[in-house]
Amino acid sequence: MAERLLEDLARMHLVEPGGMWGRWRLHDLVRLYADSLSRESQIDDQRNIALGRLLDHYVHGTRAASSYLVPDVAPSRYFKRRSDAIRWLEVERSNLVLAVGLAAKAGRYEDSCILASELANFLQKFRYSDDFFAVSYTSAVAANRTGNESLAEDTANNIKKALSQLKSLEDAVSGLITAASIFSESGDSRNEAATLNQVGNAMSLAGRFEESIAFLSASAELYRVSKDGNLEGLALASLGEVLGSAGKSEDAIDAYSDSLALLQQAGDRYGMGIVLGNLGLARKEAGQPVEALQAFRSALEIFRTDGTKGEEGRVLNNFGLTLQDLGEPHEAVGFHLRAAAKSREAGDHFLEGTALVDLGACLQSISELERAVETFSAAACAFESAGDKQRKGSSLHSEGIIFTHLGRYQEAVDAYMRAENAFRMIGDAQGEGMSLANRGAALRSWGHLSESIEVLTSSVEVLSHGGDESAVTPANLQLGASLAAAGHTEEAVRVFTRSVAELAGAGNSWEESKALLARGIALRSLERFDEAAADLSRTIPVFRAEGDNERATMARAYLDDVLKRSSGAR
């Protein structure tokens, strides 16, 4: 009788066959229409009663089917055999995944958690990683609402298992998108918005800014529809950050301005401070330094009042950078100093180191080299405390450069060696190789030519193994200079020749001309005047075109000398 009725409904296109024999389903449009009618004419408790029966059916069926997948558990008699249980799970999978969110939306939080837990064995075993992460994430939201610590712990463990099964950020994003769909299907717009926000942030981390912008915009719109101004404001703030990262400064300014208005209305002072700081950065990037300083001042007023030292330090440092943009480095120094102090008080050693690096660069720009070298040394210590070997190495490298400019070669060599060790510990071949190159140059200036050649040879080897050809050539030029200074002129010419070929292939005429100048000078020492003249002649027009008058003059002087000596030799 039931089968005949279903066939009649199918002929009227109201139902259609399901994925396996004996199963039927509503057409999507009919399902939506039926749902709309039932909402319009619902009796208060009937839909909830029907939903309860459906969820009970799914919990019972999933628990029974799952019993076939768990070792040392007696299989349920609900299914005749294991293959039937797995087939039921496969056919019902999409419904079961959505039911986890539907249970949570209906306030049946424990059912949501139980269903997700029973599903976990199947989804994990058969590698439905996206769904496994999605139901674990959705049930964790439900578990937090129960106040049941045991349920919360179980769902948290499932999330860890799901994450370990995911192979990439792409898989995690896909799982979050599935979770958002679950919330959407169950009408839970707030959790849908929160999940879309997480998707957007994850996309941003992967550098997929356009997709991130789309998800964050959708999240903000859902919060707007649900009239949650504070969360909408925070979503717009995240959107502003991504727009800024994508180079869309004007759009970022608009997003931050809208966010600020909503957060002000909600009374979220901390959120306002963060957005004002980010708004200042966006205006700085948009070439609006005066407006940027105004935003930074407003942020500082909030953070000073609330005693938020870490955020105050961040804004102070950006204030200093903006003053540098305005051509006021002396005034900027004070802001960078205060930024470093506030960050240190807050225990944020990474931010302290960042402020000190910016301070060191500022001091260097105004020729306060003694203070600058002390500042870079302090920055290296701060990054050491923060556990950031990369930036520690960079700070020590900068310290070495300034020591070289000051003619304090022994201290420069020591700084470069410590930089090399920091880079080597994290496998940064480029950082290590560049520090070796600069150490070799400092040793040459110090008069230690043999050691300089040895260090520069190591530099070329490290950079070559690191695969950064663009960094190998400068190291080769330094090696050639040390070989020439040590009287190994023929070998120096061979090194310079390799550099000329590499730079010509890269199409970098200015750098190629510098290599030609070095080779021309070496060829002059070998009295190979015709070759020297050819090299030197090629460099002069390039240096002049680049505005490098110092090298143009040097090349002209060497060329004149070569031509004179050449004619004399004849």
Side-chain angles (χ1 to χ4, degrees), residues 217-240:
S217 298
S219 172
E221 177 62 17
L222 281 170
Y223 283 131
R224 187 191 66 78
V225 171
S226 62
K227 296 184 172 21
D228 194 327
N230 193 21
L231 290 176
E232 182 190 354
L234 294 174
L236 286 169
S238 295
L239 176 60

Side-chain angles (χ1 to χ4, degrees), residues 1-11 24:
M1 180 65 178
E3 186 175 350
R4 192 178 309 135
L5 288 172
L6 286 166
E7 289 173 352
D8 289 340
L9 290 170
R11 278 191 291 273
W24 299 80

Side-chain angles (χ1 to χ4, degrees), residues 210-536:
E210 292 303 323
E211 292 165 278
S212 175
I213 289 166
F215 281 109
L216 291 171
S217 298
S219 172
E221 177 62 17
L222 281 170
Y223 283 131
R224 187 191 66 78
V225 171
S226 62
K227 296 184 172 21
D228 194 327
N230 193 21
L231 290 176
E232 182 190 354
L234 294 174
L236 286 169
S238 295
L239 176 60
E241 288 188 47
V242 178
L243 287 166
S245 298
K248 300 182 178 182
S249 300
E250 294 294 342
D251 291 336
I253 289 169
D254 289 341
Y256 286 136
S257 298
D258 291 342
S259 169
L260 193 59
L262 289 164
L263 294 174
Q264 187 172 14
Q265 189 175 0
D268 185 348
R269 281 178 55 80
Y270 178 78
M272 286 173 61
I274 296 293
V275 171
L276 281 164
N278 288 339
L279 175 60
L281 279 175
R283 290 200 178 280
K284 178 180 182 294
E285 291 300 317
Q288 303 170 14
V290 175
E291 292 82 353
L293 292 180
Q294 184 178 350
F296 290 142
R297 286 190 187 95
S298 297
L300 286 172
E301 185 178 344
I302 290 174
F303 291 137
R304 282 171 187 153
T305 304
D306 294 354
T308 316
K309 293 178 181 177
E311 295 301 335
E312 185 181 353
R314 193 182 312 278
V315 175
L316 283 165
N317 198 52
N318 288 328
F319 204 112
L321 291 171
T322 308
L323 286 170
Q324 289 192 59
D325 290 346
L326 284 168
E328 301 178 17
H330 290 87
E331 188 176 351
V333 166
F335 282 90
H336 291 308
L337 279 168
R338 288 161 59 197
K342 288 293 178 184
S343 304
R344 188 163 49 251
E345 289 174 30
D348 189 336
H349 297 297
F350 176 83
L351 183 54
E352 178 192 358
T354 301
L356 288 168
V357 165
D358 291 333
L359 172 60
C362 186
L363 290 166
Q364 195 173 359
S365 73
I366 57 177
S367 300
E368 293 195 28
L369 299 186
E370 294 287 352
R371 287 182 66 190
V373 78
E374 293 173 5
T375 302
F376 282 121
S377 179
C381 292
F383 286 127
E384 173 70 23
S385 298
D388 192 328
K389 301 291 185 188
Q390 171 74 42
R391 286 176 175 79
K392 175 188 175 182
S394 296
S395 300
L396 289 168
H397 189 98
S398 297
E399 184 182 349
I401 289 171
I402 299 176
F403 274 134
T404 302
H405 284 313
L406 290 169
R408 293 160 61 176
Y409 299 121
Q410 184 170 354
E411 292 163 291
V413 166
D414 179 63
Y416 287 132
M417 288 182 69
R418 286 184 289 137
E420 290 159 30
N421 290 332
F423 288 129
R424 193 179 301 115
M425 287 179 68
I426 58 172
D428 184 347
Q430 183 180 19
E432 180 187 354
M434 290 176 66
S435 295
L436 279 164
N438 280 338
R439 177 156 69 98
L443 285 164
R444 181 176 67 248
S445 299
W446 195 13
H448 294 250
L449 296 178
S450 297
E451 191 177 351
S452 172
I453 292 168
E454 181 182 342
V455 170
L456 285 163
T457 301
S458 297
S459 169
V460 172
E461 290 175 359
V462 169
L463 290 168
S464 297
H465 288 132
D468 188 352
E469 291 301 322
S470 64
V472 173
T473 303
N476 261 324
L477 288 172
Q478 293 287 0
L479 174 58
S482 291
L483 287 166
H488 306 301
T489 314
E490 291 282 3
E491 192 176 349
V493 168
R494 287 194 291 272
V495 171
F496 289 138
T497 299
R498 284 200 304 270
S499 299
V500 168
E502 289 164 0
L503 291 165
N508 191 332
S509 60
W510 185 51
E511 292 294 339
E512 181 189 357
S513 293
K514 288 196 283 186
L516 285 166
L517 174 60
R519 187 174 69 177
I521 294 170
L523 289 166
R524 168 183 167 274
S525 299
L526 293 171
E527 297 186 354
R528 291 161 61 178
F529 298 129
D530 289 344
E531 295 168 84
D535 280 355
L536 294 166

